[in-house]
């Protein structure tokens, strides 16, 4: 089924750990995005990609990195997690023909 | 620079009352505007697009270029409308496909 998937859905880790949040979409969209969102709050763009081997930083300063080796896969990595990284992370892809973003279910990260 | 302003963080109404969620934008070109909705424990999803001029779940939104507004309206609110609503602008100047989201308005519809 065409969809956008995020794993894990929930993650609790200790400070200093390296983590990777996975995002995959089976819709063939070129453009993908990572947002940080605290519950009921605004979305902050942290990374985006226009296609394979294309990655850019968004508005929100972040210690994370992303890669786009395959069209369907856009993982986000935190080299050393800190309590300030505690938040929800949303992945999205974009369908150009309708200018619509499709969002994943999110990963809720807690750093102790 | 493009900007989206949703002045109300919270809007609380009773069932059956009219609802208007405000959205104002700033963009030098011709914008494309959207409303996204996030129900409790569900994904953020598209509600409606201004170019479609459609009504979804009884909601409508008209783009007013003179007032640079794209307010979301519904004549009679239902309890199931309770959710977080985000206004979004897509400006494609210079080949950019970066959407700008407002901070969101939480709509609570009381029985």
């Amino acid at each position: 089924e065409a969809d956008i998937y995020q794993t894990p859905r929930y993650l609790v880790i200790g400070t200093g750990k390296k983590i990777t949040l996975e995002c995959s979409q089976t819709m063939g969209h070129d453009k993908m995005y990572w947002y940080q969102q605290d519950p009921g709050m605004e979305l902050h763009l942290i990374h985006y990609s226009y296609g394979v081997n294309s990655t850019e930083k968004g508005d929100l300063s972040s210690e994370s990195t992303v890669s786009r080796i395959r069209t369907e896969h856009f993982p986000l990595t935190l080299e050393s997690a800190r309590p300030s990284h505690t938040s929800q992370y949303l992945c999205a892809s974009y369908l150009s023909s309708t200018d619509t973003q499709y969002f994943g279910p999110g990963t809720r990260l807690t750093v102790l | 620079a493009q900007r989206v302003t949703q002045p109300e963080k919270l809007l609380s109404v009773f069932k059956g009352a009219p609802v208007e969620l405000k959205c104002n934008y700033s963009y030098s070109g011709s914008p494309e505007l959207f409303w996204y909705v996030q129900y409790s424990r569900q994904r953020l999803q598209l509600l409606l697009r201004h170019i479609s001029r459609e009504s979804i779940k009884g909601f409508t939104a008209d783009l007013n270029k003179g007032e640079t507004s794209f307010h979301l309206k519904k004549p009679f609110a239902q309890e199931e409308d309770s959710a977080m609503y985000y206004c979004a602008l897509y400006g494609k100047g210079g080949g950019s496909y970066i959407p700008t989201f407002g901070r969101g308005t939480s709509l609570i519809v009381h029985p």
Side-chain angles (χ1 to χ4, degrees):
Chain A
E1 179 182 339
D3 203 350
I4 180 163
Y5 304 92
Q6 288 186 245
T7 56
R9 293 293 310 280
Y10 303 92
L11 181 61
V12 181
I13 59 167
T15 297
K17 299 292 185 183
K18 177 180 178 179
I19 59 167
T20 296
L21 307 185
E22 301 287 348
C23 176
S24 294
Q25 51 99 2
T26 55
M27 297 177 282
H29 296 167
D30 286 336
K31 300 172 183 64
M32 296 187 73
Y33 308 79
W34 274 105
Y35 293 91
Q36 186 173 334
Q37 181 197 32
D38 291 318
M41 303 294 284
E42 57 194 300
L43 282 74
H44 296 285
L45 180 67
I46 47 177
H47 292 285
Y48 60 96
S49 167
Y50 284 170
V52 172
N53 296 324
S54 155
T55 61
E56 300 288 344
K57 286 187 179 293
D59 300 327
L60 182 67
S61 176
S62 169
E63 290 99 12
S64 59
T65 58
V66 292
S67 62
R68 191 85 184 277
I69 299 172
R70 304 197 315 266
T71 297
E72 62 272 20
H73 196 211
F74 190 41
L76 181 143
T77 298
L78 282 169
E79 291 293 332
S80 180
R82 295 207 305 267
S84 60
H85 294 136
T86 295
S87 188
Q88 174 159 260
Y89 293 83
L90 296 180
C91 182
S93 66
Y94 177 98
L95 178 60
S96 299
S97 61
T98 60
D99 287 328
T100 301
Q101 280 192 300
Y102 293 85
F103 287 85
T107 293
R108 188 169 298 281
L109 173 66
T110 302
V111 183
L112 303 176
Chain B
Q2 55 193 58
R3 188 187 310 158
V4 174
T5 302
Q6 292 181 249
E8 303 138 331
K9 193 167 183 178
L10 173 66
L11 187 61
S12 182
V13 302
F14 285 98
K15 178 182 174 181
V19 168
E20 182 179 64
L21 288 85
K22 292 184 167 48
C23 172
N24 289 92
Y25 67 90
S26 172
Y27 183 63
S28 57
S30 183
E32 296 191 26
L33 286 143
F34 300 75
W35 278 97
Y36 283 81
V37 62
Q38 190 171 28
Y39 300 103
S40 179
R41 297 188 180 88
Q42 293 188 29
R43 301 186 190 194
L44 191 59
Q45 59 187 289
L46 178 68
L47 179 62
L48 55 77
R49 312 161 57 203
H50 92 267
I51 60 173
S52 301
R53 303 186 67 80
E54 57 198 345
S55 174
I56 303 293
K57 298 184 179 183
F59 284 98
T60 59
D62 291 319
L63 178 60
N64 185 324
K65 292 187 177 181
E67 296 182 358
T68 60
S69 68
F70 187 55
H71 302 329
L72 183 68
K73 300 177 183 179
K74 185 169 183 177
F76 307 103
Q78 303 299 315
E79 289 178 68
E80 56 265 30
D81 296 328
S82 296
M84 195 75 183
Y85 292 81
Y86 294 91
C87 182
L89 178 154
Y90 288 70
K92 294 185 182 177
S96 167
Y97 291 87
I98 305 301
T100 298
F101 284 82
R103 67 172 181 171
T105 297
S106 177
L107 173 64
I108 299 175
V109 181
H110 300 282

